[in-house]
DNA sequence: ACCTGAACACCGTTCAAGT
DNA sequence: ACCTGAACACCGTTCAAGT
């Protein structure tokens, strides 16, 4: 079904793949806020408008950068127990995407784009069914896990970005004062070692507990 | 401690509160992508640069729009059972923020800004402790619930936005073809009624299950 | 102290024209 | 078919000056 390319008309000077590659490099090196159509055009050696002959708009270009990303991450060994497979696959999504903060931003656009990533929802849904869930329940469980992973990735990467910023000043440093101890006793007593508590957060522990609640009890 | 305002210098023409109010109205009516400093300045009857005398930058203005939001939402009746209190409070966060999609975007900036919202983490952490968790575990549980709620809100509001768009065309309509049935059997068989499965997703059911897994078993 | 004006260095995208 | 050039309608923010 792959038709020969017609040689009619003007020969193309820039390839779609080239555009996507440049975009992905900018995203990886400088993040999503650094990517602009004009910047990509310049680095690809063309006019901004030349890009629009290859992609519909900026959102499409962003989503195209996701293609092939999953294939570049080594697939993990999956255990035999289906419950453990859910955990390991979910953790793999988290650790895999941790290295690509820009991908989390792009995934927020809400459209599936990378076919090579689909084995992960497939695996989780299949394992949930193997654990005794109906097909519908399994889809819901996957969705719940994805919402959690997305949120965790968002705040983890955002915090890492802010930590890397040399001249960051908190916007509201003293939202909580000792005077709030009456109304908010736990938050005030915990606010001192909030940073340490954040470090102690273990995504694997949380995922395991979540999965325990979401899946039917083991037989 | 509230010092009298010095009347020295030029009298102010625009009040900070006025700026924040206009910004919040734009956010509520047209969403976060419609808010610009220049737009706010115009509607407030001033130069773009006048705003910078009252706020540090656009991010600070965005975060200021959150102040007082929680107080505008009626506080729910909380049940006596601490486990149920966690659920009801978490659900309240979800339903409360569902009406303010822009607030979800602003919360993604990652800084706490609305003091009136702090009773919710306080309540969840206190209830988790009442259920037998340590202070540290309770903070982790809250964080896990928040990550999930944030992800759920993100995708729910994004989907609602796209559904409201009159001329939306999916970017990648046929990512999954019948030929993928070998590799991705569940996804291909489920893709037909994916919309219906999405409608059947019940956040209360998922939260209850999550909480069951996260909290120690009831005595 | 508070605000203006001009400027800098950008954006995404449409449209008409060229090869 | 593919690309350019010019234009439209915007951005956030700095800086020097005015009252």
């Amino acid at each position: 079904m792959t038709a020969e390319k017609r040689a009619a008309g003007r020969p193309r000077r820039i390839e779609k793949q080239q555009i996507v590659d440049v975009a992905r490099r900018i995203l990886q090196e400088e993040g999503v806020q650094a990517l602009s159509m004009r910047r990509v055009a310049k680095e690809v050696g063309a006019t901004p408008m030349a890009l629009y002959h290859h992609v519909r708009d900026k959102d499409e270009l962003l989503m195209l950068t996701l293609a092939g990303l999953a294939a570049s991450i080594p697939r993990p060994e999956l255990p035999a127990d289906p419950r453990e497979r859910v955990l390991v696959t979910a953790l793999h999504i988290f650790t895999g995407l941790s290295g690509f903060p820009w991908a989390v931003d792009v995934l927020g656009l809400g459209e599936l784009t990378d076919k090579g990533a689909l084995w992960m929802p497939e695996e989780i849904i299949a394992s949930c069914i193997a654990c005794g869930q109906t097909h519908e329940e399994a889809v819901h469980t996957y969705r719940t896990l994805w919402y959690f992973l997305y949120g965790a990735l968002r705040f983890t990467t955002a915090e890492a970005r802010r930590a890397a910023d040399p001249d960051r000043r908190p916007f509201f440093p003293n939202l909580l004062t000792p005077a709030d101890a009456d109304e908010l006793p736990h938050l005030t007593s915990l606010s001192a070692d909030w940073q340490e508590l954040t470090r102690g957060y273990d995504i694997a522990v949380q995922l395991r507990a979540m999965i325990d609640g979401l899946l039917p009890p083991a037989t």
Side-chain angles (χ1 to χ4, degrees), chain A:
Chain A
M1 236 43 149
T2 55
E4 285 289 303
K5 236 168 224 156
R6 281 166 298 140
R10 188 173 173 170
R12 57 157 59 85
R13 275 193 36 217
I14 53 177
E15 294 291 334
K16 184 168 181 173
Q17 194 52 53
Q18 190 189 355
I19 296 170
V20 175
D21 288 345
V22 166
R24 188 166 21 222
R25 181 173 49 69
I26 294 170
L27 287 168
Q28 181 66 26
E29 289 175 358
E30 303 178 48
V32 76
Q33 89 293 335
L35 188 109
S36 71
M37 297 300 272
R38 298 175 113 102
R39 169 87 185 272
V40 173
K42 188 188 287 179
E43 297 210 15
V44 101
T47 295
M49 281 319 298
L51 307 185
Y52 286 87
H53 225 269
H54 298 87
V55 299
R56 184 200 293 174
D57 55 18
K58 191 185 176 181
D59 274 358
E60 184 176 274
L61 176 54
L62 280 171
M63 297 195 291
L64 285 169
T65 61
L66 246 35
L69 187 64
S72 76
I73 304 168
R75 209 155 147 167
E77 294 254 359
L78 292 180
D81 179 45
R83 215 181 184 81
E84 288 297 311
R85 291 166 86 88
V86 175
L87 176 68
V88 170
T89 309
L91 269 175
H92 182 254
I93 294 174
F94 183 83
T95 53
L97 283 172
S98 292
F100 306 95
W102 56 271
V104 179
D105 293 307
V106 178
L107 284 165
L109 297 174
E111 209 136 342
L112 284 176
T113 50
D114 185 12
K115 203 164 180 173
L118 294 183
W119 70 265
M120 291 178 274
E122 172 73 25
E123 179 59 51
I124 288 177
I125 290 168
S127 297
C128 288
I129 293 169
C131 287
Q133 288 197 309
T134 67
H135 288 226
E136 185 168 10
E137 287 170 340
V139 171
H140 294 337
T141 299
Y142 167 68
R143 188 180 287 263
T144 294
L145 291 171
W146 169 240
Y147 286 163
F148 166 70
L149 291 169
Y150 176 81
L153 284 161
R154 264 256 146 202
F155 287 98
T156 304
T157 58
E159 176 56 33
R161 247 194 296 266
R162 273 184 292 143
D165 187 9
D167 47 50
R168 57 148 182 171
R169 303 159 288 174
F171 284 93
F172 307 97
N174 299 318
L175 192 69
L176 223 51
T177 65
D180 298 308
D182 279 359
E183 296 252 349
L184 306 164
H186 296 96
L187 290 185
T188 43
S189 81
L190 289 167
S191 69
D193 29 38
W194 194 262
Q195 282 207 351
E196 200 186 342
L197 288 170
T198 300
R199 265 195 301 277
Y201 186 82
D202 185 342
I203 192 113
V205 169
Q206 301 297 312
L207 266 176
R208 190 180 286 279
M210 272 182 72
I211 291 167
D212 264 355
L214 292 166
L215 294 182
T219 48

